[in-house]
């Protein structure tokens, strides 16, 4: 007999786990300590790249939002030429697709302004999986991005960034992705952690595969097309 473990077990210390996520809220949103993303970006990236349904949905929405790309209209031909040249130089169409897709699966997209003097010459993409925290002033305006690079924490001035975000919930500094409901850790009324929806889906897919592989159909059923 094949035994399938039931995933919804109470886990020890779940109240403390839940408390970690609520800690900043309970302390009047102390922005100076920094806010972590609502859901770790590594987890969101994992869901986006490993789940075929999420991957297809995110890319389809991104393609629909971006469309044919960026087209500039202007009565000033010289101004249009300068803008078109800059857009081509920084590959704006590709950047736009990256921004939109990241906003859908990650809720945020960060780009560093590369300057030559006062002029912005390039936009450098900062991968979400390296982003750890956002710090802000007491009034909630972001001041510093904390990211990991080469095994070290790096502080990036927020004024040097372009930060695109989808939805900001309550007083969070990060945006929320569309896949947040299926990705976020859930808790029952007693504060016990229960399995996130995306893991339930993955486990069910795995269980079905194992059952079909272990118990193949012993008979072939034929259905008359008349009764369909």
């Amino acid at each position: 007999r094949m035994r399938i473990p039931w995933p919804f077990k109470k886990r020890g210390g779940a109240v403390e786990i839940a408390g970690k996520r609520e800690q900043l809220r309970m302390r009047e949103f102390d922005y100076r300590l920094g806010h972590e993303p609502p859901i770790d970006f590594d987890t969101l990236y994992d869901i986006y790249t490993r789940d075929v349904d999420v991957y297809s949905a995110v890319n389809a929405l991104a393609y629909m939002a971006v469309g044919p790309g960026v087209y500039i209209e202007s009565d000033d031909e010289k101004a249009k030429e300068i803008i078109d040249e800059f857009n081509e130089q920084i590959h704006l169409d590709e950047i736009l697709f990256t921004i939109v897709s990241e906003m859908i699966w990650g809720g945020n997209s960060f780009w560093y302004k590369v300057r030559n003097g006062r002029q912005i010459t390039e936009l450098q993409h900062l991968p979400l999986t390296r982003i750890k925290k956002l710090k802000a002033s007491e009034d909630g305006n972001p001041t510093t991005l904390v990211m990991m690079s080469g095994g070290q924490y790096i502080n990036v001035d927020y004024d040097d960034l372009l930060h695109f975000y989808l939805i900001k919930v309550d007083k969070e500094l990060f945006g929320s992705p569309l896949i947040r409901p299926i990705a976020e850790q859930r808790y029952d009324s007693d504060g016990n952690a229960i399995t996130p929806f995306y893991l339930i889906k993955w486990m069910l897919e795995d269980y079905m595969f194992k059952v079909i592989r272990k118990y193949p159909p012993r008979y072939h059923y034929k259905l008359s097309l008349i009764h369909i």
Side-chain angles (χ1 to χ4, degrees), residues 22-57:
E22 300 300 322
Q23 205 168 19
L24 288 175
R25 292 185 177 89
M26 298 299 290
R27 291 185 303 172
E28 295 289 333
F29 286 89
D30 193 342
Y31 292 115
R32 293 166 299 176
L33 296 178
H35 280 195
E36 296 177 358
I39 307 167
D40 185 80
F41 287 129
D42 287 323
T43 299
L44 294 171
Y45 182 76
D46 239 13
I47 297 171
Y48 169 56
T49 54
R50 291 177 56 191
D51 192 301
V52 63
D53 296 318
V54 174
Y55 185 83
S56 301

Side-chain angles (χ1 to χ4, degrees), residues 38 103 107-108 165-170 172 174-178 180:
M103 286 170 61
N108 303 265
Y165 56 86
L166 188 59
I167 304 167
K168 284 190 177 181
V169 178
D170 205 352
E172 292 176 343
F174 286 96
S176 293
L178 285 183
R180 180 171 182 170

Side-chain angles (χ1 to χ4, degrees), residues 1-2 4 22 26 45 47 73 79 82 117 122 141 146-147 150 164 184 198 214 216 228:
R1 179 179 295 180
M2 181 180 180
I4 298 177
E22 300 300 322
M26 298 299 290
Y45 182 76
I47 297 171
E73 291 184 353
I82 293 173
E122 186 182 349
N141 293 319
V146 181
M147 61 181 294
F164 302 92
E184 194 162 34
Y198 80 93
K214 188 172 180 64
I228 297 178

Side-chain angles (χ1 to χ4, degrees), residues 127-145:
L128 287 182
T129 51
R130 296 184 184 179
I131 307 300
K132 301 303 177 185
K133 277 185 181 182
L134 261 178
K135 295 181 179 180
S137 58
E138 292 184 3
D139 56 2
N141 293 319
T143 57
T144 307
L145 177 74

Side-chain angles (χ1 to χ4, degrees), residues 70 72 80-95 121-122:
V70 178
I72 304 297
K80 182 180 184 305
E81 183 181 336
I82 293 173
I83 295 173
D84 284 340
E85 184 179 336
F86 176 75
N87 291 346
E88 184 178 353
Q89 177 184 338
I90 65 172
H91 307 290
L92 186 60
D93 288 342
E94 297 173 22
I95 288 176
T121 58
E122 186 182 349

